[in-house]
Amino acid sequence: MKHGNTRFLIVGLGLMGGSYAKALSERGYAVDGIDIDSTTIDYALKHGYIQRGGIVNEVSLITDADVIISCVYPRTCVNWILENQKYMKSGAYLSDISGVKANVVEPIQTSLRKDLEFVPAHPMCGRELRGVVYANTEMIKGANFILTPTEKNSEEAVSFFVEFAKELGFGKISRLTCEEHDRMIAYVSQLTHAIAVSLMNASENPQINEYTGDSFRDLTRIAKINEQMWSELFIGNKQNLIREIDAFQMELSSLKQAIEDEDYAELKEKFIQSTQRRIQFDR
């Protein structure tokens, strides 16, 4: 990456921000952190995830940073970067982890100082747990990493974040346009969360946990959801997500019809197709 003395600033030391900080510190990089919660900062300092920490807007930490990675919710990401860019070092690189790009990338890149560069990214990993106490580097290893650079990005800056992803242990590193990213993520991430939430809310049986097996637990793991972040993600990508929900409802209706018609051949065909497609995900 840039050089051995590169100093990172992680904004938002939650699960992902904490994991980034931990991974970078373990590799010998200088890492600082900013968060709204003093107990989070204390925890990160105590465990060696960061060298210095501050609450909300610690100007000295912003000024010293060579690379700033925003690990906060999409709207907060935009506001924080634009409000604090006046403190940033000339030539600094910026990035994010936002799960939607439509309402993040354009406002940042349009209003960002010309001597700064924002390269949008999305690490495809996470857990249903919240907070720095659950930070870990294992979930990063081999995970997919998506960059969504635009014409405003230099190849040098994009290459830096490719190396960043490799350094932290990510697996496949892809480049998509912001539009491609949001269309894809509506299906592989947002729709799956919508299904898990709906499945969990479909029954009011208070004792359902006493009867379920692994299949139900596996399907609903991500229903234990961050209500603020995912509300922003769903609404920020609503057109793509609504289209995927409509397509899913059509497929579910087709499955329902095959059951009503006792169409064994159709059901078997659907099961064989789903099995073949799912095998591609096995590592």
Side-chain angles (χ1 to χ4, degrees):
M1 293 191 283
K2 271 189 171 181
H3 51 73
N5 296 321
T6 299
R7 190 165 205 100
F8 288 84
L9 174 62
I10 308 299
V11 181
L13 291 169
L15 172 68
M16 199 66 229
S19 299
Y20 267 8
K22 185 175 189 290
L24 288 165
S25 292
E26 288 177 351
R27 287 159 177 77
Y29 289 96
V31 184
D32 298 326
I34 288 177
D35 199 272
I36 60 173
D37 183 4
S38 61
T39 60
T40 291
I41 295 296
D42 292 342
Y43 184 94
L45 286 168
K46 178 181 178 181
H47 289 80
Y49 298 173
I50 58 176
Q51 294 182 345
R52 301 182 299 174
I55 304 299
V56 188
N57 299 333
E58 189 74 28
V59 173
S60 64
L61 301 185
I62 301 171
T63 302
D64 290 346
D66 300 297
V67 181
I68 299 174
I69 303 179
S70 173
C71 298
V72 295
Y73 303 152
R75 289 187 294 182
T76 303
C77 172
V78 175
N79 294 335
W80 190 92
I81 288 176
L82 296 184
E83 289 173 4
N84 290 282
Q85 62 174 312
K86 57 182 175 289
Y87 305 122
M88 295 176 188
K89 179 187 297 187
S90 180
Y93 288 163
L94 290 76
S95 190
D96 70 325
I97 63 166
S98 298
V100 63
K101 299 304 180 190
N103 299 325
V104 173
V105 179
E106 192 276 334
I108 291 177
Q109 290 191 336
T110 297
S111 302
L112 197 64
R113 278 170 30 202
K114 301 305 179 185
D115 60 336
L116 302 171
E117 190 162 352
F118 174 74
V119 181
H122 185 190
M124 296 298 292
C125 57
R127 295 290 183 270
E128 69 276 14
L129 305 170
R130 309 185 200 182
V132 70
V133 296
Y134 296 106
N136 72 85
T137 57
E138 287 301 313
M139 69 178 185
I140 292 175
K141 293 178 181 178
N144 293 328
F145 187 86
I146 302 172
L147 290 164
T148 60
T150 73
E151 70 282 352
K152 294 181 182 292
N153 289 125
S154 65
E155 190 57 37
E156 179 183 10
V158 175
S159 296
F160 171 85
F161 284 104
V162 170
E163 291 304 312
F164 167 86
K166 291 178 180 178
E167 179 83 356
L168 266 62
F170 283 96
K172 182 174 178 55
I173 301 168
S174 303
R175 299 190 194 188
L176 299 174
T177 66
C178 292
E179 293 76 16
E180 288 170 338
H181 169 275
D182 286 357
R183 286 196 299 270
M184 179 275 299
I185 215 70
Y187 179 68
V188 302
S189 178
Q190 294 174 350
L191 176 63
T192 59
H193 282 77
I195 293 169
V197 168
S198 298
L199 184 57
M200 201 69 249
N201 289 335
S203 173
E204 296 183 1
N205 186 339
Q207 296 178 300
I208 196 168
N209 63 300
E210 298 177 9
Y211 319 129
T212 56
D214 290 342
S215 59
F216 190 86
R217 283 190 289 269
D218 289 345
L219 278 170
T220 58
R221 177 183 63 82
I222 55 175
K224 191 176 175 182
I225 195 166
N226 183 321
E227 68 279 0
Q228 180 176 338
M229 181 179 74
W230 282 95
S231 293
E232 284 193 32
L233 294 175
F234 278 17
I235 294 174
N237 199 28
K238 67 178 184 178
Q239 291 182 335
N240 288 317
L241 179 54
I242 289 170
R243 184 180 63 249
E244 295 300 343
I245 290 174
D246 287 342
F248 177 77
Q249 288 177 326
M250 288 181 62
E251 177 60 27
L252 192 61
S253 294
S254 175
L255 182 66
K256 176 184 176 183
Q257 190 63 54
I259 296 169
E260 288 180 346
D261 296 343
E262 298 185 10
D263 190 338
Y264 284 89
E266 177 68 11
L267 286 173
K268 289 178 182 179
E269 183 177 338
K270 287 182 179 296
F271 297 157
I272 290 170
Q273 178 176 276
S274 72
T275 299
Q276 291 174 340
R277 291 182 177 181
R278 184 59 182 81
I279 288 172
Q280 299 176 32
F281 290 83
D282 296 333
R283 296 179 179 176

